[in-house]
Each structure stands twice: as structure tokens, then as C-alpha cells.
């Protein structure tokens, strides 16, 4: 089957949903399914933030996402509008706003059209968000 | 007709950017001609409380954008009946395009949708 993921949870939040998404992505692939695209939206866009440093005693989820994408031709897309609010700038946005580039290499930037395209072109789309309950 | 994609919005209007993200996703699906329903579930129904203005909190006005959903071809907008009761909103006047739907029927509709996105 053809899967895409929608990731709303940040790897920096202290929660576990971003990690669950990454583990799920690995499981999808190891079962022989195709993982076309992961769309990082809302706080999930922080997954592409190059300037955040993972402490040595914690798992570096960014490198897990990157190696998964590299080995399986999965597209990692960070939402451009969410990214701007959280300081994730690709080369184009960095130039436009006169700031340094902060997007991790290996991620691409895109709008919600790429999420719509993933929904239309996948058998399954699975959302990973953090509970927003108080 | 059952829409092929259901976007579930279950967070209150303020307190996080998640409500805005759900609304933008529904609008994007409609803009690309995907038949979409936006479902306000649980605390998400608080987004439908009338005359709220996010600008007083220095944010964009979510409620005004919800009011304009039909203009942007989001034709199905549903609110969970049980949640409206929980939050004491049964007597509140909702925008006329919002249908109030009970959980049993929602379960049925969610089961028939091609994709469900939960915010």
C-alpha cells in the first residue's frame, strides 16, 4: 500500500508523538509498503529546524527522519507557512526575509497543496499530533 | 453525498495554533476541488461560539473565517451534538450552514470516508 504521513507534533516539545511517527514510518517501510511523503505541518514543521541541538542523552529524531528518507526516497516536506512562524527558512525564504537559512538539508519546503496531493495519491494518510488536552 | 476527506478539529479556538491549522487544511482541500467535510468535535465546538474575535488576543480572526467557509467551497460543516451539550452551547445560534450531528451518525460517516485527518 501507498502511505503518507501528516506530522503535527514537534520533536522539541517533550512529547512522544513525533517519535511515534518516525517509528511508524520505519514500520510501514519494513512491511514492504511505500511511504511517499511526510508532511510536517503546524508545530511539526520544527522537525526541519537545523539550529535546534539535541542533547547527547536524547534520541536525535531529525537524523532518524533523514536517514529514513534517504534510504527510501521518501519526501520530507515542511510546510512553508508553519515553518516561517517557527524559524524554519529554506534558501528562498532566508533571502526574502534577510535571515540565515535554518532548514535542515534533506527537507523540502511546500504549501498545503502538497498535503492535498499526498491525500489524493495515497491509500492511507496517518496523522500524528500531540494531545492538546490540558 | 459523503465527502471523501473529513478534517476533524477538536481543539478550542485559542491556546494553540492547531485550530487554525485544521481550518487551513480544510480550505486547501476545497481549493483543490477535494470534497471535504470539516467536523468540530469535542472542545473543537468552542470555535463555533458566536461573536468571538481573536484579534483582541492579537491573533487572526478565526471565527470570521469559519463564517466564510461556504464561500470557499467547504460545503459540509458538522458540529458534534454531544459536545455542544457538554459545553452548554445547545441554545447558541450557529452559522446556518453548520449541521449538528450525533456521535452515532458521525461514527458511520467517519467509517465511510476515504481519508480522515485529525487535528
Amino acid at each position: 500500500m501507498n502511505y503518507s504521513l501528516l506530522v503535527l507534533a514537534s520533536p522539541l516539545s517533550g512529547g512522544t508523538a513525533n517519535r511515534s511517527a518516525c517509528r511508524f514510518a520505519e514500520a510501514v517501510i519494513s512491511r514492504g509498503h511505500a511511504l511517499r511523503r511526510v508532511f510536517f505541518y503546524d508545530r511539526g514543521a520544527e522537525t526541519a529546524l537545523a539550529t535546534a541541538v539535541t542533547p547527547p542523552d536524547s534520541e536525535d529524531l531529525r537524523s532518524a527522519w533523514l536517514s529514513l528518507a534517504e534510504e527510501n526516497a521518501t519526501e520530507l516536506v515542511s510546510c512553508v507557512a508553519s515553518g516561517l512562524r517557527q524559524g524554519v527558512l529554506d534558501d528562498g525564504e532566508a533571502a526574502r526575509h534577510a535571515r540565515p537559512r535554518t532548514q535542515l538539508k534533506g527537507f523540502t519546503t511546500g504549501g498545503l497543496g502538497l498535503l492535498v496531493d499526498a491525500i489524493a495519491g495515497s491509500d492511507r494518510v496517518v496523522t500524528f499530533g500531540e494531545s492538546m488536552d490540558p | 453525498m459523503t465527502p471523501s476527506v473529513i478534517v476533524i478539529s477538536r481543539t478550542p479556538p485559542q491556546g494553540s495554533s492547531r485550530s487554525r491549522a485544521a481550518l487551513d487544511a480544510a480550505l486547501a482541500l476545497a481549493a483543490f476541488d477535494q470534497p471535504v467535510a470539516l467536523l468540530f468535535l469535542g472542545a473543537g465546538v468552542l470555535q463555533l461560539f458566536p461573536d468571538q474575535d481573536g484579534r483582541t488576543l492579537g491573533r487572526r480572526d478565526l471565527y470570521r473565517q469559519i463564517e466564510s467557509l461556504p464561500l470557499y467551497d467547504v460545503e459540509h460543516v458538522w458540529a458534534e451534538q454531544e459536545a455542544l451539550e457538554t459545553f452548554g452551547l445547545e441554545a447558541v445560534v450557529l452559522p446556518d450552514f453548520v449541521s449538528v450531528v450525533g456521535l452515532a451518525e458521525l461514527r458511520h460517516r467517519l467509517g465511510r470516508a476515504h481519508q480522515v485527518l485529525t487535528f
Side-chain angles (χ1 to χ4, degrees), chain A residues 41-42 112 122 125 127 130 132, chain B residues 11 17-18 21 24 115 118:
Chain A
Y41 183 40
D42 199 30
L112 283 167
S122 304
V125 177
T127 310
E130 224 116 39
M132 290 281 136
Chain B
T11 60
S17 50
R18 191 68 64 87
D24 285 345
Q115 306 281 13
T118 309

Side-chain angles (χ1 to χ4, degrees), chain A residues 5-6 37-42 45 75-85 88 90 93 96 103 107-119, chain B residues 21 24-29 31-32 117 119:
Chain A
L5 304 188
L6 169 61
R37 179 176 295 155
V38 183
F39 192 81
F40 296 90
Y41 183 40
D42 199 30
E75 229 186 315
L76 304 178
V77 182
S78 68
C79 172
V80 59
S82 307
L84 277 176
R85 282 196 288 271
V88 182
D90 64 6
E93 296 301 327
R96 184 168 307 129
Q103 187 186 42
F107 284 77
T108 56
T109 313
L112 283 167
L114 288 182
L115 172 63
V116 175
D117 174 69
I119 291 166
Chain B
D24 285 345
L27 289 166
L29 282 155
F32 286 96
L117 306 182
F119 286 84

Side-chain angles (χ1 to χ4, degrees), chain A residues 11-12 18 22 46-54 59-68 76 104 107:
Chain A
L12 315 174
N18 190 285
C22 191
E46 284 178 351
T47 314
L49 187 61
T51 50
V53 178
T54 308
E59 180 185 4
D60 184 0
L61 283 168
R62 269 82 56 83
S63 62
W65 280 115
L66 288 171
S67 47
L68 175 124
L76 304 178
L104 270 180
F107 284 77

Side-chain angles (χ1 to χ4, degrees), chain B residues 5 19 34 57 99 116:
Chain B
V5 185
S19 51
Q34 303 289 315
L57 296 170
S99 0
V116 177

